[in-house]
Amino acid sequence: QVPLVESGGGVVQAGGSLKLSCIASADSTRYNRMAWFRQAPGKEREGVAAISLRDGISYYADSVKGRFTISRDNAKITAYLQMNSLKPEDTAMYYCAATTYGGGLYDLRQSSYNNWGQGTQVTVSS
């Protein structure tokens, strides 16, 4: 069973918006925080935002700060990524991740997350 399932990707023009959703499977009550990563062709996967499931505090990479907003619904064990003012360089496969590890929100290394979704494609045209 895939632990996380993303949805909401698509094609949008530059300056537009998209909202991604990530639903966790039933056995996810041990998660401490969730995050969104992205990977563009030929580039390494990078973390863009993370949120604490306990208190809702969030953290953003500089590249998306002020344009993206991460949120969560603990009752549904769902995380969202609202993406505004999209740019062509935001084009990537976006992955949801969750972790049972300790650590801080600022730690957006892939190795800090032990549960992953299969990704949803976001394409921003110029």
Side-chain angles (χ1 to χ4, degrees):
Q1 183 180 5
V2 179
L4 303 166
V5 179
E6 305 97 333
S7 63
V11 180
V12 63
Q13 288 189 332
S17 299
L18 280 174
K19 185 173 184 178
L20 307 183
S21 298
C22 172
I23 299 175
S25 64
D27 186 22
S28 55
T29 57
R30 299 175 297 124
Y31 293 158
N32 295 321
R33 59 190 188 278
M34 297 179 73
W36 288 93
F37 288 73
R38 68 185 181 186
Q39 187 167 20
K43 295 189 177 181
E44 292 187 356
R45 191 173 298 188
E46 63 170 347
V48 297
I51 189 165
S52 166
L53 296 183
R54 181 187 63 184
D55 54 23
I57 295 175
S58 56
Y59 175 82
Y60 299 91
D62 288 343
S63 57
V64 305
K65 200 173 295 183
R67 300 187 299 122
F68 290 12
T69 302
I70 189 171
S71 60
R72 96 287 192 220
D73 181 335
N74 281 3
K76 299 178 182 178
I77 316 178
T78 301
Y80 304 96
L81 186 68
Q82 177 67 47
M83 305 185 293
N84 298 328
S85 302
L86 283 162
K87 306 175 182 179
E89 51 263 45
D90 294 318
T91 295
M93 184 72 78
Y94 281 71
Y95 297 91
C96 178
T99 188
T100 58
Y101 298 153
L105 287 175
Y106 56 87
D107 184 359
L108 283 173
R109 294 173 298 171
Q110 290 186 61
S111 58
S112 297
Y113 287 80
N114 55 357
N115 291 275
W116 292 85
Q118 294 183 323
T120 185
Q121 178 67 38
V122 172
T123 301
V124 184
S125 62
S126 57

